[in-house]
Amino acid sequence: MADGEIQNTAFWQGNTALAHGALAAGCNFFGGYPITPSTEIAETMAEELPKTGGKFIQMEDEIAGLACVLGASIAGAKALTATSGPGFSLKQENLGFAYLAEIPAVVVDVMRGGPSTGLPTRAAQQDIMQARWGTHGDYAPICYAPSSVQECYDLAIKAFNMAERFRQPVLIMSDEIVGHMREKITKTEPDKLKLIERVRPTCEPEEFTPYEADPMTSVPPMASFGDGYLWHVTGLMTNDWGFPTGNPPEVEKKILRIINKVTRARNDIVEYEAEHMDGAGIVVVSYGSVARSALRAVRDARKKGIPVGHFRPITIWPFPDAELVKMSLGVKTILVPELNCGQISLEVERAIRGRSEVRGLSLVNGKLFKPSDILKVIEEVA
């Protein structure tokens, strides 16, 4: 192995890889509050940010953790926070504010068992619907679910690109297993990184209308506080000038625009992986850490002659429903193993609309799915 390859290779935990991916994306601010099993992200950022002039701050609680991140972003920083379970719940009010005020940031939830304090050291996937519907109002989230340490690194970079491009929070829904397992990863060389920066206003300050969006993207340019452009930021519904309004046409325009800027670019955002889908009579849909066991089960079933395929959403939101439907035509049974009581299985049912039987496999005792657990059910329905 050449020296350059050695330098670009690391043996990291998922949490560590996620932090370094954020740094590679240009993250220069972290604000948060320590919580298991995400704490290694904060620890890594506390160690690494000062080396490059970045800022780290531990706040008094999870609410303030996201609040300071949004303030840093408004001032021009690329900002990150990380949490788990109940901390993600506490961040929901400020997430709603960020969607409306169109403030880019990346929020990581390393999921654990719940509700409440729950099982702090055990894995779960119980926050998936909270990522979609947890905060108030209508909005269009972008949310990734990594299933490997390499993806933690890569998706952190992608999340910052999406946050900057669409001017909104982007979520990474990891879990305790992915966050704490160690794997070899390859870092991207700085000169090969493709980074997206928020669009800045090009007009004179006196001509600036803070929320006047580009008609092609539905995304307005973003000025930073302190660079001479006037911009009023509030959690109230606003007009294009950023001032509160209750005028129905202006309200509708704002809500539809912050949703449309994501939905119109859906095909650029949605990511998934599929294996052995052609001719499959059974399909296993899984994500995050569970996908590792599920894919092994699918491959073992294939060796036994069972025509089974695997579909893994990488973007949980927007959900790759159209892609799943297209690949599942003629499929008899879809199995959805997940570490919750059936959150994505309901989304699969919504997408499939009765064309196939959808069977959820739930595990909520803090343990992991074994490939043999999933293989047994594949054999039962074959």
Side-chain angles (χ1 to χ4, degrees), residues 144-148 151-152 155 178 270-275 277 283-295 309-316 319-320 323-324 327 344:
Y144 296 100
S147 68
S148 69
E151 272 195 338
C152 286
L155 290 179
V178 174
V270 166
E271 292 188 47
Y272 63 93
E273 281 187 348
E275 184 171 314
M277 293 292 287
V283 169
V284 179
V285 177
S286 63
Y287 56 95
S289 62
V290 176
R292 302 169 72 94
S293 295
L295 186 55
H310 184 251
F311 185 92
R312 178 172 73 94
I314 299 172
T315 47
I316 297 295
F319 189 72
E323 293 78 6
L324 176 60
M327 291 187 173
I344 286 298

mmCIF file of all heavy atoms in Angstrom, residues 144-148 151-152 155 178 270-275 277 283-295 309-316 319-320 323-324 327 344:
data_model
loop_
_atom_site.group_PDB
_atom_site.id
_atom_site.type_symbol
_atom_site.label_atom_id
_atom_site.label_comp_id
_atom_site.label_asym_id
_atom_site.label_seq_id
_atom_site.Cartn_x
_atom_site.Cartn_y
_atom_site.Cartn_z
ATOM 1 N N TYR A 144 -30.809 10.891 6.215
ATOM 2 C CA TYR A 144 -29.997 9.759 5.793
ATOM 3 C C TYR A 144 -29.869 8.727 6.907
ATOM 4 O O TYR A 144 -29.851 9.076 8.094
ATOM 5 C CB TYR A 144 -28.594 10.225 5.408
ATOM 6 C CG TYR A 144 -28.542 11.144 4.208
ATOM 7 C CD1 TYR A 144 -28.427 12.519 4.372
ATOM 8 C CD2 TYR A 144 -28.604 10.644 2.918
ATOM 9 C CE1 TYR A 144 -28.369 13.373 3.280
ATOM 10 C CE2 TYR A 144 -28.553 11.485 1.816
ATOM 11 C CZ TYR A 144 -28.433 12.849 2.008
ATOM 12 O OH TYR A 144 -28.386 13.685 0.917
ATOM 13 N N ALA A 145 -29.726 7.446 6.511
ATOM 14 C CA ALA A 145 -29.525 6.362 7.476
ATOM 15 C C ALA A 145 -28.303 5.551 7.064
ATOM 16 O O ALA A 145 -28.403 4.675 6.199
ATOM 17 C CB ALA A 145 -30.753 5.464 7.549
ATOM 18 N N PRO A 146 -27.141 5.802 7.658
ATOM 19 C CA PRO A 146 -25.942 5.039 7.293
ATOM 20 C C PRO A 146 -25.984 3.628 7.855
ATOM 21 O O PRO A 146 -26.550 3.377 8.919
ATOM 22 C CB PRO A 146 -24.808 5.849 7.946
ATOM 23 C CG PRO A 146 -25.454 6.546 9.102
ATOM 24 C CD PRO A 146 -26.861 6.834 8.671
ATOM 25 N N SER A 147 -25.351 2.705 7.137
ATOM 26 C CA SER A 147 -25.284 1.322 7.621
ATOM 27 C C SER A 147 -23.849 0.831 7.755
ATOM 28 O O SER A 147 -23.620 -0.337 8.051
ATOM 29 C CB SER A 147 -26.069 0.374 6.707
ATOM 30 O OG SER A 147 -25.446 0.268 5.451
ATOM 31 N N SER A 148 -22.882 1.709 7.549
ATOM 32 C CA SER A 148 -21.483 1.339 7.704
ATOM 33 C C SER A 148 -20.713 2.550 8.195
ATOM 34 O O SER A 148 -21.186 3.691 8.132
ATOM 35 C CB SER A 148 -20.893 0.853 6.370
ATOM 36 O OG SER A 148 -20.795 1.934 5.459
ATOM 37 N N GLU A 151 -20.057 4.887 5.331
ATOM 38 C CA GLU A 151 -21.208 5.747 5.028
ATOM 39 C C GLU A 151 -21.362 6.866 6.046
ATOM 40 O O GLU A 151 -21.836 7.949 5.693
ATOM 41 C CB GLU A 151 -22.490 4.915 4.951
ATOM 42 C CG GLU A 151 -22.748 4.360 3.590
ATOM 43 C CD GLU A 151 -24.164 3.851 3.411
ATOM 44 O OE1 GLU A 151 -24.845 3.527 4.413
ATOM 45 O OE2 GLU A 151 -24.588 3.753 2.250
ATOM 46 N N CYS A 152 -20.996 6.626 7.297
ATOM 47 C CA CYS A 152 -21.038 7.717 8.275
ATOM 48 C C CYS A 152 -20.184 8.879 7.793
ATOM 49 O O CYS A 152 -20.588 10.047 7.872
ATOM 50 C CB CYS A 152 -20.551 7.227 9.641
ATOM 51 S SG CYS A 152 -21.725 6.183 10.521
ATOM 52 N N LEU A 155 -21.755 10.224 4.220
ATOM 53 C CA LEU A 155 -23.047 10.892 4.347
ATOM 54 C C LEU A 155 -22.952 12.168 5.164
ATOM 55 O O LEU A 155 -23.785 13.066 5.004
ATOM 56 C CB LEU A 155 -24.080 9.940 4.945
ATOM 57 C CG LEU A 155 -24.516 8.786 4.038
ATOM 58 C CD1 LEU A 155 -25.539 7.895 4.748
ATOM 59 C CD2 LEU A 155 -25.096 9.299 2.721
ATOM 60 N N VAL A 178 -24.098 1.183 14.533
ATOM 61 C CA VAL A 178 -23.274 1.852 13.527
ATOM 62 C C VAL A 178 -22.342 2.868 14.191
ATOM 63 O O VAL A 178 -21.179 3.013 13.801
ATOM 64 C CB VAL A 178 -24.173 2.539 12.479
ATOM 65 C CG1 VAL A 178 -23.342 3.372 11.516
ATOM 66 C CG2 VAL A 178 -24.977 1.504 11.698
ATOM 67 N N VAL A 270 -32.889 11.384 -3.418
ATOM 68 C CA VAL A 270 -33.176 10.002 -3.011
ATOM 69 C C VAL A 270 -32.031 9.066 -3.382
ATOM 70 O O VAL A 270 -31.524 9.074 -4.504
ATOM 71 C CB VAL A 270 -34.493 9.522 -3.657
ATOM 72 C CG1 VAL A 270 -34.638 8.013 -3.540
ATOM 73 C CG2 VAL A 270 -35.674 10.217 -3.004
ATOM 74 N N GLU A 271 -31.648 8.253 -2.407
ATOM 75 C CA GLU A 271 -30.614 7.237 -2.626
ATOM 76 C C GLU A 271 -31.062 5.907 -2.027
ATOM 77 O O GLU A 271 -31.722 5.881 -0.981
ATOM 78 C CB GLU A 271 -29.291 7.645 -1.981
ATOM 79 C CG GLU A 271 -28.632 8.843 -2.639
ATOM 80 C CD GLU A 271 -27.237 9.069 -2.088
ATOM 81 O OE1 GLU A 271 -26.467 8.088 -1.991
ATOM 82 O OE2 GLU A 271 -26.922 10.219 -1.750
ATOM 83 N N TYR A 272 -30.667 4.830 -2.683
ATOM 84 C CA TYR A 272 -30.994 3.490 -2.197
ATOM 85 C C TYR A 272 -30.010 2.508 -2.800
ATOM 86 O O TYR A 272 -29.280 2.830 -3.752
ATOM 87 C CB TYR A 272 -32.427 3.106 -2.583
ATOM 88 C CG TYR A 272 -32.645 3.020 -4.073
ATOM 89 C CD1 TYR A 272 -32.497 1.807 -4.758
ATOM 90 C CD2 TYR A 272 -32.975 4.158 -4.815
ATOM 91 C CE1 TYR A 272 -32.665 1.740 -6.125
ATOM 92 C CE2 TYR A 272 -33.143 4.097 -6.179
ATOM 93 C CZ TYR A 272 -32.991 2.878 -6.835
ATOM 94 O OH TYR A 272 -33.149 2.820 -8.198
ATOM 95 N N GLU A 273 -29.981 1.308 -2.242
ATOM 96 C CA GLU A 273 -29.224 0.202 -2.812
ATOM 97 C C GLU A 273 -30.151 -0.978 -2.995
ATOM 98 O O GLU A 273 -31.027 -1.214 -2.156
ATOM 99 C CB GLU A 273 -28.056 -0.209 -1.902
ATOM 100 C CG GLU A 273 -26.849 0.692 -1.991
ATOM 101 C CD GLU A 273 -25.658 0.152 -1.215
ATOM 102 O OE1 GLU A 273 -25.847 -0.808 -0.432
ATOM 103 O OE2 GLU A 273 -24.553 0.678 -1.379
ATOM 104 N N ALA A 274 -29.961 -1.726 -4.075
ATOM 105 C CA ALA A 274 -30.785 -2.904 -4.340
ATOM 106 C C ALA A 274 -29.902 -4.043 -4.796
ATOM 107 O O ALA A 274 -28.930 -3.841 -5.537
ATOM 108 C CB ALA A 274 -31.835 -2.593 -5.401
ATOM 109 N N GLU A 275 -30.225 -5.238 -4.342
ATOM 110 C CA GLU A 275 -29.461 -6.430 -4.722
ATOM 111 C C GLU A 275 -30.420 -7.590 -4.961
ATOM 112 O O GLU A 275 -31.339 -7.810 -4.169
ATOM 113 C CB GLU A 275 -28.458 -6.797 -3.617
ATOM 114 C CG GLU A 275 -27.556 -7.963 -3.991
ATOM 115 C CD GLU A 275 -26.427 -8.184 -3.000
ATOM 116 O OE1 GLU A 275 -25.782 -7.187 -2.609
ATOM 117 O OE2 GLU A 275 -26.186 -9.354 -2.625
ATOM 118 N N MET A 277 -32.837 -7.983 -7.034
ATOM 119 C CA MET A 277 -34.260 -7.627 -7.139
ATOM 120 C C MET A 277 -34.928 -8.226 -8.379
ATOM 121 O O MET A 277 -36.131 -8.485 -8.365
ATOM 122 C CB MET A 277 -34.417 -6.105 -7.133
ATOM 123 C CG MET A 277 -34.042 -5.449 -5.813
ATOM 124 S SD MET A 277 -35.178 -5.857 -4.465
ATOM 125 C CE MET A 277 -36.614 -4.885 -4.923
ATOM 126 N N VAL A 283 -38.923 -9.790 -1.088
ATOM 127 C CA VAL A 283 -37.983 -8.685 -0.959
ATOM 128 C C VAL A 283 -37.864 -8.324 0.518
ATOM 129 O O VAL A 283 -38.873 -8.236 1.232
ATOM 130 C CB VAL A 283 -38.438 -7.450 -1.775
ATOM 131 C CG1 VAL A 283 -37.590 -6.230 -1.423
ATOM 132 C CG2 VAL A 283 -38.345 -7.739 -3.264
ATOM 133 N N VAL A 284 -36.637 -8.139 0.963
ATOM 134 C CA VAL A 284 -36.381 -7.650 2.319
ATOM 135 C C VAL A 284 -36.008 -6.181 2.214
ATOM 136 O O VAL A 284 -35.075 -5.823 1.482
ATOM 137 C CB VAL A 284 -35.263 -8.445 3.009
ATOM 138 C CG1 VAL A 284 -35.008 -7.892 4.418
ATOM 139 C CG2 VAL A 284 -35.611 -9.921 3.075
ATOM 140 N N VAL A 285 -36.741 -5.332 2.922
ATOM 141 C CA VAL A 285 -36.450 -3.897 2.973
ATOM 142 C C VAL A 285 -35.878 -3.586 4.355
ATOM 143 O O VAL A 285 -36.526 -3.842 5.369
ATOM 144 C CB VAL A 285 -37.721 -3.057 2.727
ATOM 145 C CG1 VAL A 285 -37.410 -1.564 2.865
ATOM 146 C CG2 VAL A 285 -38.309 -3.355 1.350
ATOM 147 N N SER A 286 -34.672 -3.072 4.393
ATOM 148 C CA SER A 286 -34.057 -2.756 5.679
ATOM 149 C C SER A 286 -33.116 -1.577 5.522
ATOM 150 O O SER A 286 -32.723 -1.212 4.408
ATOM 151 C CB SER A 286 -33.306 -3.966 6.240
ATOM 152 O OG SER A 286 -32.238 -4.329 5.393
ATOM 153 N N TYR A 287 -32.734 -0.984 6.657
ATOM 154 C CA TYR A 287 -31.918 0.232 6.636
ATOM 155 C C TYR A 287 -31.055 0.267 7.890
ATOM 156 O O TYR A 287 -31.268 -0.483 8.852
ATOM 157 C CB TYR A 287 -32.819 1.474 6.566
ATOM 158 C CG TYR A 287 -33.833 1.550 7.682
ATOM 159 C CD1 TYR A 287 -33.581 2.282 8.842
ATOM 160 C CD2 TYR A 287 -35.043 0.865 7.592
ATOM 161 C CE1 TYR A 287 -34.504 2.334 9.874
ATOM 162 C CE2 TYR A 287 -35.975 0.917 8.621
ATOM 163 C CZ TYR A 287 -35.694 1.652 9.753
ATOM 164 O OH TYR A 287 -36.611 1.698 10.782
ATOM 165 N N GLY A 288 -30.050 1.143 7.873
ATOM 166 C CA GLY A 288 -29.182 1.274 9.033
ATOM 167 C C GLY A 288 -28.464 -0.021 9.351
ATOM 168 O O GLY A 288 -28.132 -0.831 8.473
ATOM 169 N N SER A 289 -28.213 -0.264 10.632
ATOM 170 C CA SER A 289 -27.463 -1.455 11.044
ATOM 171 C C SER A 289 -28.181 -2.744 10.681
ATOM 172 O O SER A 289 -27.537 -3.758 10.398
ATOM 173 C CB SER A 289 -27.208 -1.409 12.556
ATOM 174 O OG SER A 289 -28.428 -1.420 13.278
ATOM 175 N N VAL A 290 -29.505 -2.742 10.671
ATOM 176 C CA VAL A 290 -30.259 -3.962 10.375
ATOM 177 C C VAL A 290 -29.971 -4.448 8.963
ATOM 178 O O VAL A 290 -30.013 -5.654 8.684
ATOM 179 C CB VAL A 290 -31.772 -3.730 10.575
ATOM 180 C CG1 VAL A 290 -32.575 -4.963 10.166
ATOM 181 C CG2 VAL A 290 -32.061 -3.370 12.022
ATOM 182 N N ALA A 291 -29.651 -3.527 8.057
ATOM 183 C CA ALA A 291 -29.392 -3.917 6.673
ATOM 184 C C ALA A 291 -28.204 -4.870 6.569
ATOM 185 O O ALA A 291 -28.136 -5.684 5.649
ATOM 186 C CB ALA A 291 -29.143 -2.675 5.818
ATOM 187 N N ARG A 292 -27.291 -4.790 7.498
ATOM 188 C CA ARG A 292 -26.125 -5.670 7.456
ATOM 189 C C ARG A 292 -26.541 -7.123 7.682
ATOM 190 O O ARG A 292 -26.125 -8.035 6.960
ATOM 191 C CB ARG A 292 -25.106 -5.216 8.491
ATOM 192 C CG ARG A 292 -24.656 -3.775 8.292
ATOM 193 C CD ARG A 292 -23.856 -3.253 9.463
ATOM 194 N NE ARG A 292 -22.538 -3.855 9.524
ATOM 195 C CZ ARG A 292 -21.434 -3.347 9.000
ATOM 196 N NH1 ARG A 292 -21.498 -2.196 8.348
ATOM 197 N NH2 ARG A 292 -20.273 -3.962 9.118
ATOM 198 N N SER A 293 -27.375 -7.349 8.678
ATOM 199 C CA SER A 293 -27.877 -8.703 8.939
ATOM 200 C C SER A 293 -28.821 -9.154 7.836
ATOM 201 O O SER A 293 -28.809 -10.318 7.421
ATOM 202 C CB SER A 293 -28.596 -8.745 10.288
ATOM 203 O OG SER A 293 -27.713 -8.501 11.352
ATOM 204 N N ALA A 294 -29.658 -8.222 7.366
ATOM 205 C CA ALA A 294 -30.650 -8.576 6.344
ATOM 206 C C ALA A 294 -29.979 -8.990 5.043
ATOM 207 O O ALA A 294 -30.392 -9.968 4.397
ATOM 208 C CB ALA A 294 -31.589 -7.397 6.108
ATOM 209 N N LEU A 295 -28.943 -8.273 4.644
ATOM 210 C CA LEU A 295 -28.269 -8.601 3.391
ATOM 211 C C LEU A 295 -27.584 -9.963 3.484
ATOM 212 O O LEU A 295 -27.607 -10.749 2.536
ATOM 213 C CB LEU A 295 -27.261 -7.508 3.038
ATOM 214 C CG LEU A 295 -26.583 -7.631 1.674
ATOM 215 C CD1 LEU A 295 -27.604 -7.723 0.544
ATOM 216 C CD2 LEU A 295 -25.645 -6.443 1.447
ATOM 217 N N GLY A 309 -34.761 -10.760 -2.804
ATOM 218 C CA GLY A 309 -33.952 -9.581 -3.063
ATOM 219 C C GLY A 309 -33.873 -8.687 -1.831
ATOM 220 O O GLY A 309 -34.589 -8.885 -0.843
ATOM 221 N N HIS A 310 -32.996 -7.703 -1.902
ATOM 222 C CA HIS A 310 -32.818 -6.773 -0.791
ATOM 223 C C HIS A 310 -32.869 -5.339 -1.304
ATOM 224 O O HIS A 310 -32.250 -4.998 -2.316
ATOM 225 C CB HIS A 310 -31.476 -7.010 -0.099
ATOM 226 C CG HIS A 310 -31.266 -6.147 1.114
ATOM 227 N ND1 HIS A 310 -30.365 -5.110 1.143
ATOM 228 C CD2 HIS A 310 -31.886 -6.151 2.320
ATOM 229 C CE1 HIS A 310 -30.404 -4.526 2.341
ATOM 230 N NE2 HIS A 310 -31.321 -5.134 3.059
ATOM 231 N N PHE A 311 -33.623 -4.497 -0.584
ATOM 232 C CA PHE A 311 -33.755 -3.077 -0.934
ATOM 233 C C PHE A 311 -33.433 -2.258 0.307
ATOM 234 O O PHE A 311 -34.055 -2.445 1.353
ATOM 235 C CB PHE A 311 -35.188 -2.782 -1.406
ATOM 236 C CG PHE A 311 -35.392 -1.372 -1.899
ATOM 237 C CD1 PHE A 311 -35.230 -1.065 -3.238
ATOM 238 C CD2 PHE A 311 -35.758 -0.353 -1.029
ATOM 239 C CE1 PHE A 311 -35.428 0.233 -3.698
ATOM 240 C CE2 PHE A 311 -35.952 0.937 -1.472
ATOM 241 C CZ PHE A 311 -35.788 1.232 -2.815
ATOM 242 N N ARG A 312 -32.431 -1.375 0.190
ATOM 243 C CA ARG A 312 -32.016 -0.570 1.345
ATOM 244 C C ARG A 312 -32.189 0.910 1.058
ATOM 245 O O ARG A 312 -31.462 1.487 0.247
ATOM 246 C CB ARG A 312 -30.550 -0.854 1.698
ATOM 247 C CG ARG A 312 -30.055 -0.005 2.878
ATOM 248 C CD ARG A 312 -28.671 -0.430 3.327
ATOM 249 N NE ARG A 312 -27.616 -0.034 2.417
ATOM 250 C CZ ARG A 312 -26.908 1.088 2.542
ATOM 251 N NH1 ARG A 312 -27.161 1.936 3.512
ATOM 252 N NH2 ARG A 312 -25.942 1.348 1.680
ATOM 253 N N PRO A 313 -33.123 1.583 1.725
ATOM 254 C CA PRO A 313 -33.182 3.041 1.626
ATOM 255 C C PRO A 313 -31.967 3.658 2.323
ATOM 256 O O PRO A 313 -31.674 3.320 3.476
ATOM 257 C CB PRO A 313 -34.469 3.407 2.371
ATOM 258 C CG PRO A 313 -35.224 2.121 2.552
ATOM 259 C CD PRO A 313 -34.193 1.042 2.577
ATOM 260 N N ILE A 314 -31.269 4.522 1.633
ATOM 261 C CA ILE A 314 -30.196 5.313 2.241
ATOM 262 C C ILE A 314 -30.761 6.650 2.686
ATOM 263 O O ILE A 314 -30.458 7.132 3.770
ATOM 264 C CB ILE A 314 -29.023 5.492 1.260
ATOM 265 C CG1 ILE A 314 -28.444 4.122 0.894
ATOM 266 C CG2 ILE A 314 -27.952 6.406 1.851
ATOM 267 C CD1 ILE A 314 -27.401 4.162 -0.206
ATOM 268 N N THR A 315 -31.587 7.241 1.827
ATOM 269 C CA THR A 315 -32.410 8.362 2.282
ATOM 270 C C THR A 315 -33.695 7.773 2.838
ATOM 271 O O THR A 315 -34.448 7.104 2.120
ATOM 272 C CB THR A 315 -32.751 9.343 1.146
ATOM 273 O OG1 THR A 315 -33.194 8.605 0.005
ATOM 274 C CG2 THR A 315 -31.576 10.211 0.775
ATOM 275 N N ILE A 316 -33.920 7.984 4.130
ATOM 276 C CA ILE A 316 -35.193 7.575 4.713
ATOM 277 C C ILE A 316 -36.266 8.581 4.335
ATOM 278 O O ILE A 316 -37.408 8.212 4.054
ATOM 279 C CB ILE A 316 -35.061 7.460 6.240
ATOM 280 C CG1 ILE A 316 -34.039 6.376 6.599
ATOM 281 C CG2 ILE A 316 -36.402 7.142 6.884
ATOM 282 C CD1 ILE A 316 -34.444 4.979 6.201
ATOM 283 N N PHE A 319 -38.587 9.242 1.250
ATOM 284 C CA PHE A 319 -38.547 7.792 1.154
ATOM 285 C C PHE A 319 -38.554 7.376 -0.317
ATOM 286 O O PHE A 319 -39.316 7.924 -1.119
ATOM 287 C CB PHE A 319 -39.757 7.183 1.863
ATOM 288 C CG PHE A 319 -39.682 5.691 1.994
ATOM 289 C CD1 PHE A 319 -38.797 5.104 2.873
ATOM 290 C CD2 PHE A 319 -40.502 4.864 1.238
ATOM 291 C CE1 PHE A 319 -38.702 3.723 2.998
ATOM 292 C CE2 PHE A 319 -40.432 3.493 1.350
ATOM 293 C CZ PHE A 319 -39.525 2.915 2.237
ATOM 294 N N PRO A 320 -37.718 6.413 -0.712
ATOM 295 C CA PRO A 320 -37.664 5.987 -2.110
ATOM 296 C C PRO A 320 -38.830 5.077 -2.487
ATOM 297 O O PRO A 320 -38.667 3.926 -2.910
ATOM 298 C CB PRO A 320 -36.318 5.262 -2.203
ATOM 299 C CG PRO A 320 -36.039 4.780 -0.829
ATOM 300 C CD PRO A 320 -36.655 5.788 0.100
ATOM 301 N N GLU A 323 -39.239 4.108 -6.334
ATOM 302 C CA GLU A 323 -38.211 3.150 -6.735
ATOM 303 C C GLU A 323 -38.521 1.760 -6.183
ATOM 304 O O GLU A 323 -38.332 0.749 -6.875
ATOM 305 C CB GLU A 323 -36.847 3.635 -6.244
ATOM 306 C CG GLU A 323 -36.352 4.911 -6.909
ATOM 307 C CD GLU A 323 -36.995 6.182 -6.382
ATOM 308 O OE1 GLU A 323 -37.778 6.120 -5.401
ATOM 309 O OE2 GLU A 323 -36.724 7.251 -6.954
ATOM 310 N N LEU A 324 -38.990 1.694 -4.953
ATOM 311 C CA LEU A 324 -39.355 0.410 -4.357
ATOM 312 C C LEU A 324 -40.516 -0.225 -5.108
ATOM 313 O O LEU A 324 -40.500 -1.427 -5.404
ATOM 314 C CB LEU A 324 -39.718 0.586 -2.882
ATOM 315 C CG LEU A 324 -40.219 -0.659 -2.153
ATOM 316 C CD1 LEU A 324 -39.169 -1.756 -2.159
ATOM 317 C CD2 LEU A 324 -40.641 -0.318 -0.726
ATOM 318 N N MET A 327 -39.433 -1.683 -8.467
ATOM 319 C CA MET A 327 -38.630 -2.903 -8.364
ATOM 320 C C MET A 327 -39.392 -4.070 -7.752
ATOM 321 O O MET A 327 -38.908 -5.198 -7.793
ATOM 322 C CB MET A 327 -37.380 -2.625 -7.520
ATOM 323 C CG MET A 327 -36.386 -1.718 -8.190
ATOM 324 S SD MET A 327 -34.857 -1.621 -7.225
ATOM 325 C CE MET A 327 -33.826 -0.678 -8.336
ATOM 326 N N ILE A 344 -41.140 1.917 9.497
ATOM 327 C CA ILE A 344 -40.964 1.946 8.047
ATOM 328 C C ILE A 344 -41.838 0.904 7.357
ATOM 329 O O ILE A 344 -42.203 1.062 6.186
ATOM 330 C CB ILE A 344 -39.478 1.781 7.677
ATOM 331 C CG1 ILE A 344 -38.733 3.078 7.980
ATOM 332 C CG2 ILE A 344 -39.280 1.415 6.213
ATOM 333 C CD1 ILE A 344 -39.196 4.294 7.197
#
